[in-house]
Amino acid sequence: MLYFAEVVERGGFAAAGRTLGIPKSRLSRRVAELENRLGVRLMQRTTRKLSLTQAGEAYLRHCQVMRDAALAAADAVAEVQTEPRGTIRVSCPVTLAQTVLGELMPEFLHRCPLVHVEMQVSNRSVNLVEEGVDVALRVRASLDDSGSMVVKRLDRSRQILVASPGLLERQGTPATLADLQHLDSMAMSAVDGQYTLLLQGPEGQEHRLQLQPRYVADDLLTLKFAALAGSGMCWMPDYMCHEELTEGRLVHLLPDWAPPPGIVHAVFPSRRGLAPAVRHFLDFLSEVMPGRNAIAQPEPELTAPGPGPQQATP
């Protein structure tokens, strides 16, 4: 069954023989023996190409499932027997690396002393296959742009509106969305001096907030320093300001209103044949990342995906 699947997928006995490391003649003989045992012809052989019969098409699907299950079982045994080692190449957004992942990586390196990690800290969306990246961490409102990558959901992130107690003493604490117009604000970007953000509120209400930010900087950590200094209010990911909220150095304003939440997730090219080091890294993230956010609670992973990006099971 394995030989038959490889012959079909490689397009011929010669190519399959090179992949499997066995002679073309032996492959042909074994497939012929399989057909004899089944009592049906699985493929039509010509000098130029192979084509599957109707029975061959149906049988191929079962052969592929059997092969993938056997390989997965072998991977599971190898993972138990083999201590993870080698190099993992990871891509991570700047703010996630500077806060959540930056604090977690020393623990992973301690658990897996033979693993080396090369991390790209960048907000650029990398092409994992072309750039040789094993795992990319992302925070997105939707998973629709993940393409054919396998997606592993790790946590949820909310944007929250924060300001320093000093700013609120000077300009007042807002009780409604309209009150926000009276406070200095900051943002990562503005168009013609205006910053627009869609907010979701109680009972599914929506509001399009428009502000004229006093300070624009395309780096969240820079804005966080300014917020702590009382320069203005701004929207921040909750995982960036958990400590400051707990200590009272920042105040969460209008907690019933927020932009749509972001999904913290990992993407990787394929679930099949993952190196033990990569698998351990993904398992580590699943263990330690959920619930790291200051306010948002993690959602359960999806286990029965429909069309679109694949969803990794826990």
Side-chain angles (χ1 to χ4, degrees), residues 271-306:
R271 194 181 301 126
R272 174 187 168 188
L274 282 177
V278 176
R279 191 180 299 277
H280 273 72
F281 181 63
L282 292 168
D283 290 343
F284 171 78
L285 295 180
S286 294
E287 173 191 343
V288 300
M289 285 195 72
R292 297 281 301 186
N293 293 337
I295 295 174
Q297 296 298 318
E299 289 184 334
E301 284 191 6
L302 302 181
T303 56

Side-chain angles (χ1 to χ4, degrees), residues 81-151:
Q81 294 178 331
T82 305
E83 184 174 4
R85 65 182 66 231
T87 299
I88 304 174
R89 294 173 177 84
V90 180
S91 172
C92 184
V94 175
T95 55
L96 193 65
Q98 291 174 342
T99 53
V100 176
L101 197 65
E103 296 178 355
L104 297 176
M105 286 307 299
E107 173 62 21
F108 174 74
L109 296 172
H110 174 72
R111 293 188 189 185
C112 302
L114 300 181
V115 174
H116 295 248
V117 178
E118 295 179 1
M119 185 181 300
Q120 301 177 20
V121 180
S122 170
N123 292 328
R124 181 178 62 88
S125 181
V126 302
N127 185 310
L128 281 77
V129 176
E130 292 183 1
E131 300 181 44
V133 175
D134 297 303
V135 179
L137 298 180
R138 295 173 178 171
V139 183
R140 305 277 173 83
S142 169
L143 303 178
D144 294 341
D145 62 349
S146 297
S148 61
M149 296 290 104
V150 182
V151 178

Side-chain angles (χ1 to χ4, degrees), residues 5-49:
E6 290 291 338
V7 168
V8 174
E9 293 181 354
R10 303 295 175 181
F13 288 96
R18 288 192 294 269
T19 300
L20 296 169
I22 61 177
K24 170 184 173 182
S25 57
R26 185 191 302 175
L27 268 182
S28 180
R29 185 171 65 253
R30 295 292 294 274
V31 172
E33 292 172 357
L34 176 63
E35 290 177 317
N36 289 336
R37 288 200 303 274
L38 294 172
V40 65
R41 183 172 290 276
L42 299 174
M43 58 177 65
Q44 302 290 351
R45 302 164 175 80
T46 67
T47 56
R48 294 190 176 183
K49 68 174 184 177

Side-chain angles (χ1 to χ4, degrees), residues 239-261:
Y239 59 77
M240 282 195 68
C241 45
H242 173 65
E243 182 178 337
E244 290 79 8
L245 290 169
T246 302
E247 296 175 351
R249 291 187 289 153
L250 288 176
V251 178
H252 185 184
L253 305 178
L254 302 181
D256 290 337
W257 290 92

Side-chain angles (χ1 to χ4, degrees), residues 127-255:
N127 185 310
L128 281 77
V129 176
E130 292 183 1
E131 300 181 44
V133 175
D134 297 303
V135 179
L137 298 180
R138 295 173 178 171
V139 183
R140 305 277 173 83
S142 169
L143 303 178
D144 294 341
D145 62 349
S146 297
S148 61
M149 296 290 104
V150 182
V151 178
K152 191 173 188 66
R153 297 175 68 137
L154 300 170
D155 207 349
R156 289 185 73 193
S157 169
R158 284 186 64 196
Q159 294 266 344
I160 62 175
L161 183 60
V162 298
S164 71
L167 179 74
L168 301 179
E169 289 177 6
R170 295 196 313 272
Q171 300 183 342
T173 300
T176 67
L177 291 173
D179 294 340
L180 297 180
Q181 303 297 331
H182 305 301
L183 275 71
D184 290 336
S185 63
M186 305 181 293
M188 290 189 69
S189 62
V191 178
D192 296 329
Q194 290 280 340
Y195 172 65
T196 303
L197 187 64
L198 177 65
L199 302 179
Q200 297 176 341
E203 300 178 358
Q205 299 177 65
E206 289 191 348
H207 177 81
R208 193 167 294 277
L209 179 67
Q210 286 192 327
L211 298 171
Q212 293 182 313
R214 183 183 178 196
Y215 181 28
V216 177
D218 61 354
D219 177 71
L220 284 170
L221 189 59
T222 299
L223 292 178
K224 177 180 171 180
F225 291 144
L228 289 167
S231 300
M233 62 180 179
C234 66
W235 294 91
M236 302 285 298
D238 49 7
Y239 59 77
M240 282 195 68
C241 45
H242 173 65
E243 182 178 337
E244 290 79 8
L245 290 169
T246 302
E247 296 175 351
R249 291 187 289 153
L250 288 176
V251 178
H252 185 184
L253 305 178
L254 302 181

